[in-house]
Amino acid sequence: MNKQTQNESLARGLSNRHIQLIAIGGAIGVGLFLGSASAIQAAGPALVLSYAIGGIIIFFIMRALGELILYKPVSGSFSTYAAEMIGPWAGFITGWTYWFMWVVTGMAEITAVGIYVNTWFPDIPQWIPALIALVAVYLVNLIAVKAFGEVEFWFALIKVATILVLIVVGLVMITTGWGNNGEAVGFSNLWEHGGFMPKGITGVLFALQMVMFAFLGVEMVGIAAGEAQNPEKTIPSAVNKIIWRILIFYIGALIVILSLYPWNQLDGKTSPFVLTFAKIGIPAAASIINFVILTAALSSCNSGIFSTGRMLFTLAGQNHAPQALHYVSRRQVPSRGITVSAIVLLFGVVLNYFIPEKAFTYITSVATFGALWVWGIILYAHIKFRQKHQPTSFKMPGTPWTNWIGIIFLIGVGALLSLEESTRIALYVAPIWFGILALSYQLVRKYNKNDA
């Protein structure tokens, strides 16, 4: 197929329900089911404040992205906006950083699939379920964008149903004493053990980095917009609902968990969801949550293949990647981009068994910084958009002040990474990564000039 524009070549096969659930799925990741245990240790009950602050910033980012999408709903999303509003270099760096971010996240998630399956079938080598999962999501993404949307819809529905059951059952226990010998638990655990903010304001700040990376993937609705059936209607609806979803699913679930269990009795390792379901007398609680986490990991892999395939397609269209990748199959999916990403993910699974865990941490730390970069670029590209164009019907509130608040906040989260040894490596690896990209951009630009 000849090179075509993005709008002509990719099928608009994602319906409103797909977009709505992709937005929810992006906002609810493995971080809530697993990461919340260590985040509770960092901040105590005040973790709900960390999620509220992080949720407001995510809402600003998504509103900025929402207005840019209505201006130009393409699958290249923020890479395309960065190139147009800031400069080609920004599109190059943002596109490749987002691609790499999802590839290393996918590597971690695909490995996690093997670990979770191992808890049920310890005799099966970890690489087998990891490989099966990768092949499955690869094939789903090759079939059609609608197949991706359908799988993502059901994965997201499982996560949403689990959280809603936890909230409803938890509230019944808190108010009636069911599952607690008839004695109502109440909400006093939120302030009785060292106060609501036992670790002080520093605890709230330290938890912010964990909170923000629990939201990783929320921007994926921007990539999906290029294949949405009616982006002018579905995107504003999905974006506006994000703040309520964060309030209900994150803050609601945490209030229930922290009311049922004194925060200082949670060990930081066991998922609070497992403890809650076990408390109401479900013997298979650990297996149920294990299954939910497994679907969340598969959802992340599915999203990773989808996002990286589209980003390679876009980068090739901008002459920032090999032209062969600007290709769509007869099913109107960027099959070559999807295949290249899947091969790199496969390499990551193999790599996991041959390089030390610390080396893998160094690689994944780029994903940490990559998220901050992409979110910051969305906010800054929106400022430049407003300087050049009239606002769309879906106006970002408070521009440019809300944009700058978001950017300063993201810089602050980046600075917080330096305070802990486990996350400090991100600040060492990031300059190397951006240095490689800056050099690569000069080479690509020179090649394009010669080619012209």
Side-chain angles (χ1 to χ4, degrees), residues 267-351:
D267 62 7
K269 293 173 187 173
T270 309
S271 166
F273 280 77
V274 172
L275 293 172
T276 305
F277 283 143
K279 188 164 185 169
I280 60 175
I282 300 176
S287 289
I288 291 168
I289 299 302
N290 193 57
F291 171 74
V292 173
I293 294 169
L294 179 64
T295 60
L298 284 167
S299 168
S300 190
C301 297
N302 192 36
S303 299
I305 293 276
F306 173 84
S307 299
T308 52
R310 269 73 185 168
M311 197 53 79
L312 286 179
F313 175 81
T314 298
L315 286 163
Q318 296 169 344
N319 292 323
H320 289 160
Q323 283 298 292
L325 296 174
H326 196 81
Y327 168 89
V328 288
S329 68
R330 282 179 297 174
R331 295 179 180 273
Q332 291 183 280
V333 295
S335 53
R336 289 177 184 170
I338 289 169
T339 302
V340 168
S341 296
I343 290 167
V344 177
L345 273 171
L346 181 64
F347 177 68
V349 175
V350 175
L351 210 65

Side-chain angles (χ1 to χ4, degrees), residues 123-435:
D123 297 333
I124 297 175
Q126 276 183 33
W127 65 268
I128 293 177
L131 181 63
I132 291 169
L134 178 57
V135 171
V137 295
Y138 168 65
L139 292 175
V140 162
N141 275 274
L142 277 188
I143 293 167
V145 70
K146 194 172 181 179
F148 157 78
E150 204 60 41
V151 169
E152 205 51 36
F153 174 85
W154 290 104
F155 279 156
L157 211 56
I158 290 168
K159 291 187 280 190
V160 168
T162 305
I163 296 168
L164 289 177
V165 168
L166 173 112
I167 291 171
V168 171
V169 171
L171 284 172
V172 170
M173 291 170 71
I174 289 165
T175 53
T176 68
W178 176 60
N180 194 46
N181 301 318
E183 193 177 327
V185 180
F187 294 96
S188 60
N189 278 331
L190 290 172
W191 57 81
E192 271 189 353
H193 306 276
F196 176 70
M197 210 181 283
K199 301 289 182 82
I201 193 69
T202 53
V204 176
L205 293 175
F206 271 122
L208 278 175
Q209 48 184 300
M210 289 179 260
V211 163
M212 292 312 287
F213 300 113
F215 292 136
L216 186 64
V218 70
E219 74 296 317
M220 207 195 75
V221 74
I223 302 286
E227 290 157 276
Q229 286 172 0
N230 187 2
E232 292 79 13
K233 183 182 176 185
T234 56
I235 298 302
S237 170
V239 167
N240 277 336
K241 287 173 184 169
I242 279 171
I243 193 76
W244 301 111
R245 285 159 183 164
I246 288 167
L247 286 170
I248 294 167
F249 297 129
Y250 278 96
I251 296 175
L254 284 170
I255 286 172
V256 166
I257 288 164
L258 290 162
S259 298
L260 289 173
Y261 294 95
W263 72 271
N264 54 358
Q265 288 179 23
L266 295 167
D267 62 7
K269 293 173 187 173
T270 309
S271 166
F273 280 77
V274 172
L275 293 172
T276 305
F277 283 143
K279 188 164 185 169
I280 60 175
I282 300 176
S287 289
I288 291 168
I289 299 302
N290 193 57
F291 171 74
V292 173
I293 294 169
L294 179 64
T295 60
L298 284 167
S299 168
S300 190
C301 297
N302 192 36
S303 299
I305 293 276
F306 173 84
S307 299
T308 52
R310 269 73 185 168
M311 197 53 79
L312 286 179
F313 175 81
T314 298
L315 286 163
Q318 296 169 344
N319 292 323
H320 289 160
Q323 283 298 292
L325 296 174
H326 196 81
Y327 168 89
V328 288
S329 68
R330 282 179 297 174
R331 295 179 180 273
Q332 291 183 280
V333 295
S335 53
R336 289 177 184 170
I338 289 169
T339 302
V340 168
S341 296
I343 290 167
V344 177
L345 273 171
L346 181 64
F347 177 68
V349 175
V350 175
L351 210 65
N352 242 320
Y353 297 98
F354 292 104
I355 63 171
E357 199 175 319
K358 263 193 175 177
F360 203 69
T361 305
Y362 297 163
I363 299 168
T364 51
S365 66
V366 176
T368 304
F369 218 86
L372 295 176
W373 172 270
V374 169
W375 291 339
I377 283 290
I378 289 168
L379 290 167
Y380 187 62
H382 180 264
I383 292 172
K384 303 299 280 184
F385 162 76
R386 279 290 192 90
Q387 289 171 358
K388 297 175 182 179
H389 301 277
Q390 286 296 312
T392 69
S393 57
F394 190 53
K395 285 204 310 189
M396 157 81 158
T399 296
W401 300 107
T402 43
N403 299 64
W404 286 115
I405 289 167
I407 290 167
I408 291 164
F409 175 86
L410 294 172
I411 292 168
V413 173
L416 286 170
L417 296 175
S418 66
L419 301 177
E420 278 198 47
E421 196 179 339
S422 60
T423 53
R424 197 176 298 142
I425 189 66
L427 298 182
Y428 303 143
V429 177
I432 298 168
W433 169 249
F434 288 119

